[in-house]
Amino acid sequence: MVSHLTPCASSQFIDIVLEFVALERRPSLSNASPRLPPELLDQIVGHLHDDRRALSNCSIASRALLPRARHHLFSHIRLNDS
C-alpha cells in the first residue's frame, strides 16, 4: 500500500506520477497514452493529504488532480478573529 512509503520513496513516487501526468498532457500522445483510473488518482492524492506543497504541485500538473488536491488543501479553513 502507498501509505507505507518512506519520505525518499514518497518523493520518488510523486516524481513518477508527475512524469506520467506530463506525458498525458502532450498533444501527440494524448490518444496513445493510458489514463490512470479515478480510484488510483484518489489514492495518490489521498496519500499526499498532509503535504501541501505536493498537493499544490498536483493541482497545477493536471486537471484530473485539481479537484482531488483542492479537497485536501481546503478541507480545513481557519478564520482569525482580528
Side-chain angles (χ1 to χ4, degrees):
M1 175 163 237
V2 175
S3 62
H4 299 295
L5 295 174
T6 63
C8 181
S10 179
S11 175
Q12 292 170 342
F13 177 73
I14 293 167
D15 290 342
I16 291 168
V17 169
L18 292 178
E19 272 183 50
F20 184 85
V21 169
L23 283 174
E24 278 191 329
R25 296 178 73 187
R26 290 186 187 166
S28 62
L29 297 176
S30 63
N31 294 332
S33 67
R35 302 264 180 211
L36 291 174
E39 296 83 8
L40 184 55
L41 293 175
D42 290 339
Q43 285 186 355
I44 291 167
V45 176
H47 171 70
L48 303 173
H49 72 277
D50 59 347
D51 187 344
R52 294 188 63 78
R53 184 173 180 197
L55 289 169
S56 295
N57 288 336
C58 285
S59 69
I60 294 169
S62 168
R63 270 187 239 153
L65 297 178
L66 175 61
R68 292 165 172 88
R70 189 180 287 161
H71 170 77
H72 293 287
L73 284 168
F74 301 108
S75 62
H76 295 85
I77 298 174
R78 181 180 303 177
L79 301 175
N80 291 329
D81 200 21
S82 9

